Amino acid sequence: MSAALLEKAPAKINLNLRVLGRRADGYHELESLVAFADLTDTLTLQPGENSALDITGPFAAACGPSADNLVLKAVAALRQHIDGLTAGRFLLEKNIPVAAGLGGGSADAAAALRLLARTNDLGDDDRRLNKAALAVGADVPVCLASRARIMRGIGEILSPPLAMPPLPAVLVNPGAPLATRDVFAKYSGPQGRKTNIADLPRKPDAMIEFLGRCGNDLADAAIACVPQIAEVLERLRALPGVRLARMSGSGATCFALFASAGEAAAAARLVQAARGDWWVCPTTLGSAKGRP
């Protein structure tokens, strides 16, 4: 029996998000600077003939049926391009909240594709991996390498990897799952606004100042769906030492940036003490560890 293989699946954070317009097929054109947290799911593969998935961890119950999980959809998508693909039994430790704007499902699918690449001797640059990733979901391609990038289109247009300074942060979710489709159903504009996010500062202070001039066009629509997001943002913006607070992706998770990991950890303790019913996680944003 082959040895089990392991991959980390880092949470994805949209540091900003612009809606540039709606396409004829109903999807929205987006532009977003994406970073990754050191908060991860863990995916293990025991190579074998049959595909299966077991789920554990604090958010396992929220994942729904295993048959609908993006991990198995990633296997099916890659099989469309590779005859005789070897897969096996996956074990997913689910630590990232579900339907939270953190790309957890997409990160899991990307980790599955990396494991399948290792099992089937595929190179990291094999185009079939990217084709399968996009077939599974718009956020999966950027999660394949888990490196900071600018996403455009519906997620299929990626900039080269970006050199981003590590940003100490706190992630907070009020415990309300939020579907992306529901947020876009509430979204009413603005559209067509473009920002130049091609030249990024290399210093943390300058990066945070730069991000402060950006925004998240979906925040108002998400708050209309889950009013608690406004409360999260208000509490984050009142924390000692906070430099920036914003919602990630389509919500409901929000993040706050700090000058140091110590300040972020102290802020996380304050939020958790005040709202024990919220999910709170101190972390560092940038590119995933081991993926510079």
Side-chain angles (χ1 to χ4, degrees):
M1 180 180 293
S2 300
L5 305 175
L6 182 146
E7 282 280 338
K8 297 291 187 179
K12 176 184 68 68
I13 309 296
N14 294 86
L15 294 172
N16 83 314
L17 194 152
R18 298 296 191 193
V19 181
L20 303 181
R22 189 165 186 168
R23 310 187 330 175
D25 61 6
Y27 287 96
H28 288 80
E29 293 276 347
L30 306 176
E31 181 183 65
S32 180
L33 173 59
V34 171
F36 290 85
D38 53 15
L39 164 70
T40 71
D41 290 341
T42 300
L43 187 65
T44 304
L45 172 62
Q46 180 64 61
E49 294 184 3
N50 299 317
S51 297
L53 173 65
D54 297 316
I55 307 175
T56 64
F59 294 101
C63 288
S66 295
D68 297 332
N69 195 278
L70 294 188
V71 167
L72 294 184
K73 291 185 178 181
V75 176
L78 193 56
R79 278 198 169 123
Q80 295 294 315
H81 301 282
I82 299 177
D83 292 334
L85 182 78
T86 298
R89 178 170 289 276
F90 292 92
L91 175 62
L92 174 61
E93 181 184 299
K94 193 66 186 166
N95 303 308
I96 301 172
V98 176
L102 295 174
S106 297
D108 298 340
L113 290 173
R114 293 194 299 271
L115 287 169
L116 292 171
R118 292 165 62 185
T119 302
N120 292 272
D121 296 322
L122 306 179
D124 291 342
D125 59 350
D126 194 306
R127 293 184 178 181
R128 293 172 293 185
L129 293 173
N130 282 288
K131 289 179 180 179
L134 188 57
V136 176
D139 282 347
V140 182
V142 76
C143 293
L144 269 178
S146 301
R147 297 169 71 179
R149 297 178 190 261
I150 299 168
M151 295 173 55
R152 295 186 173 92
I154 61 170
E156 82 282 13
I157 303 171
L158 301 177
S159 77
L162 302 171
M164 176 175 290
L167 300 174
V170 174
L171 306 178
V172 178
N173 186 286
L178 181 55
T180 299
R181 64 179 178 274
D182 294 338
V183 176
F184 275 107
K186 291 283 188 181
Y187 177 74
S188 59
Q191 293 186 359
R193 293 188 301 155
K194 295 184 178 180
T195 57
N196 181 11
I197 55 175
D199 299 321
L200 298 179
R202 297 294 184 93
K203 302 284 188 181
D205 287 349
M207 172 63 78
I208 294 173
E209 182 182 350
F210 170 81
L211 291 172
R213 300 194 295 270
C214 303
N216 185 331
D217 285 351
L218 294 179
D220 288 345
I223 289 170
C225 295
V226 178
Q228 299 99 305
I229 294 172
E231 182 184 352
V232 172
L233 289 170
E234 181 180 5
R235 188 172 292 275
L236 289 178
R237 288 166 180 155
L239 288 169
V242 68
R243 303 291 304 279
L244 175 73
R246 179 169 293 155
M247 187 183 79
S248 176
S250 58
T253 300
C254 300
F255 64 89
L257 301 180
F258 295 84
S260 70
E263 287 182 312
R269 290 192 292 270
L270 287 174
V271 176
Q272 194 71 82
R275 291 303 306 259
D277 55 328
W278 288 356
W279 175 82
V280 181
C281 178
T283 188
T284 299
L285 308 182
S287 290
K289 290 182 179 179
R291 300 177 183 275

